[in-house]
Amino acid sequence: MSWSDRRAALAGLAALAMCGACGFRPVYGTGGVATALRHRIGFDDPKDKYDFALVERLEDRLGRAGTPRYRMTYDVKTTRDRVANTTDTTRYHLVGTVAYRLLDLTTGQVVHSGSVTNFSAYSTADSTVATLAAQRDAERRLMTVLADDLVTRLIGVAGTLPQ
């Protein structure tokens, strides 16, 4: 092991020691704030392909609630913008926004609300089939990134939610 590798390893160990001293805990670890969200949020039934992909990803990340403590309502909006055009291809940005509200089912109160926005992109091709496949893939990627952004927001406020 070279001297620079040893220094990097020692620096990493020192950083871990300092994180432990400051109270750092993994959000999904034992007693982590995100564990309070697992299997505790019910989602509105999907109405279209965007809702379905969003809820599918949210349930992948947070688990499906048997008896939910919270209910999430959401509204998905998407737009498609042409961003580049050449002689043989066109590039599109698919922009999506999810406005959401997290309701405490015990009290009926909104305990958290907000919105997340992101985009994905795709290009057209000479083949209609290839263009449709690229568009569908971009739609699925967009819902995945929006769901991941939403979960990140929920983890950020998990410690303030009623238990």
Side-chain angles (χ1 to χ4, degrees):
M1 178 182 272
S2 72
W3 181 243
S4 63
D5 290 341
R6 286 186 187 122
R7 282 193 308 217
L10 289 173
L13 288 173
L16 280 175
M18 287 191 303
C19 284
C22 71
F24 171 79
R25 287 193 330 228
V27 294
Y28 289 115
T30 304
V33 294
T35 57
L37 299 175
R38 296 278 306 154
H39 305 288
R40 301 198 61 204
I41 300 175
F43 301 97
D44 283 352
D45 291 334
K47 298 178 287 293
D48 59 23
K49 64 183 177 181
Y50 296 117
D51 292 0
F52 183 83
L54 179 78
V55 170
E56 181 180 49
R57 179 63 176 179
L58 288 169
E59 287 180 343
D60 282 349
R61 294 283 313 272
L62 298 171
R64 182 174 288 180
T67 307
R69 166 67 194 264
Y70 306 102
R71 162 120 347 247
M72 179 173 286
T73 63
Y74 55 88
D75 184 33
V76 178
K77 300 271 191 242
T78 60
T79 59
R80 186 175 68 154
D81 300 323
R82 184 184 311 205
V83 294
N85 199 18
T86 64
T87 57
D88 60 345
T89 188
T90 302
R91 182 101 174 135
Y92 290 98
H93 275 180
L94 187 61
V95 180
T97 299
V98 177
Y100 63 91
R101 295 178 351 148
L102 189 65
L103 304 159
D104 182 342
L105 292 176
T106 305
T107 64
Q109 298 294 316
V110 175
V111 292
H112 179 65
S113 64
S115 67
V116 292
T117 301
N118 218 313
F119 76 96
S120 67
Y122 68 97
S123 296
T124 61
D126 290 336
S127 163
T128 304
V129 173
T131 297
L132 287 174
Q135 181 179 344
R136 287 184 188 128
D137 180 63
E139 292 167 349
R140 186 162 263 314
R141 284 185 285 116
L142 176 62
M143 292 305 112
T144 297
V145 75
L146 287 170
D148 289 347
D149 289 349
L150 204 157
V151 168
T152 300
R153 294 266 180 101
L154 291 175
I155 289 170
V157 300
T160 66
L161 298 175
Q163 302 300 315

